Amino acid sequence: MIGIWFFLVGAIVGCAIGAAIGGFIGAVASPRGCNHLARNGIGPAQPTPLRGPDSLGQPAARPSDDAAEPPRVVRKCGMTIKIDALDATLLKALAADPRAPILELAQRLRIARNTVQARMKRLESSGAVRGYPPSVDLQAIGFAVHAFLGVELDQSRIDGIVEALREFPNVLEVHATTGRSDLLVRIAAQSQQDLLGIVQRVHAIQGVRHTETMLALATPIEYRSLPLVEHLTNQPHPA
């Protein structure tokens, strides 16, 4: 009888110990349980999982946590770099001969080849140098008539008008301006009759209200940028 009594007591105690151990293991395996244990000084805290989308289809949200690191936003934008005398000299050499190889440029400027490569890479990656296109004399290929077209338009249609002008191969530049005209358009044509046809096509664009055409009789100073670069680096501009 005494043996049966000890057997029952042992079985009850064993079940109680087993249940306690099982509950502890289950708590450790569960994130919520781990956090509960951590709040009571037992084991490390585990991160709370993200909530899934709710019934309204909203994206998953992370619960507020004062200790959480704020998200970092990386924005790619234009950057301003400093131009020195060597950069200006290199740009001047490239403007005179865009096809010059790096080794030849290094020999002309009497600097190391790696220096030329590093400077060119810096100027290109920053966006200061956008390319090395050929300089085309439009008059030499038959487009001797140049004009500037001031365009007044419906402001609500400006994007569509700009896209329409982009389709004109004769349109060289478009500038958004202040004043009476909303856009200043530079046009190259083969003749005045050709120019008239282009202006009429611009008038036909939906949203264009009025245009004013100004013929360029000559171009004493063409587009340039090197004098400004040289001025920026305190290099005297040759006469």
Side-chain angles (χ1 to χ4, degrees):
M1 185 68 179
I2 295 176
I4 295 174
W5 171 255
F6 277 109
F7 173 80
L8 293 175
V9 172
I12 294 172
V13 172
C15 290
I17 293 174
I21 293 175
F24 179 83
I25 293 174
V28 172
S30 169
R32 292 181 61 188
C34 288
N35 287 335
H36 174 75
L37 294 176
R39 286 195 294 270
N40 289 277
I42 305 175
Q46 299 295 323
T48 304
L50 293 175
R51 294 195 300 267
D54 58 24
S55 59
L56 297 178
Q58 299 297 324
R62 185 182 296 277
S64 60
D65 187 353
D66 295 337
E69 182 182 356
R72 292 178 296 177
V73 179
V74 179
R75 294 182 176 91
K76 185 176 180 181
C77 58
M79 53 185 292
T80 302
I81 65 170
K82 293 184 178 180
I83 302 294
D84 59 18
L86 180 56
D87 290 323
T89 304
L90 177 59
L91 290 172
K92 187 175 181 180
L94 286 170
D97 187 4
R99 301 177 64 182
I102 292 178
L103 181 58
E104 183 177 336
L105 289 171
Q107 292 173 347
R108 289 183 193 175
L109 304 180
R110 296 182 179 181
I111 57 177
R113 178 178 178 177
N114 290 341
T115 301
V116 174
Q117 289 179 319
R119 291 299 182 109
M120 290 179 63
K121 182 178 180 180
R122 172 174 169 268
L123 291 170
E124 292 168 358
S125 62
S126 67
V129 173
R130 295 179 293 180
Y132 307 93
S135 179
V136 180
D137 185 349
L138 293 176
Q139 185 172 355
I141 60 174
F143 292 88
V145 179
H146 290 201
F148 294 90
L149 190 66
V151 181
E152 296 179 39
L153 48 82
D154 181 353
Q155 288 288 340
S156 64
R157 297 182 180 273
I158 186 169
D159 291 338
I161 294 172
V162 169
E163 289 305 313
L165 291 172
R166 198 187 303 276
E167 299 300 320
F168 285 64
N170 299 77
V171 170
L172 305 181
E173 292 178 295
V174 177
H175 299 271
T177 60
T178 59
R180 179 178 177 181
S181 298
D182 300 294
L183 297 177
L184 183 64
V185 183
R186 183 183 174 191
I187 296 174
Q190 293 179 312
S191 64
Q192 291 189 3
Q193 189 65 31
D194 185 26
L195 176 62
L196 177 61
I198 296 170
V199 173
Q200 289 174 341
R201 289 170 57 198
V202 172
H203 266 290
I205 299 174
Q206 189 172 10
V208 172
R209 294 176 175 173
H210 176 75
T211 64
E212 181 180 4
T213 305
M214 295 165 285
L215 281 175
L217 300 178
T219 308
I221 301 176
E222 295 185 351
Y223 175 83
R224 58 182 188 163
S225 59
L226 284 179
L228 184 58
V229 173
E230 291 173 352
H231 173 74
L232 187 64
T233 57
N234 295 321
Q235 280 195 353
H237 182 57

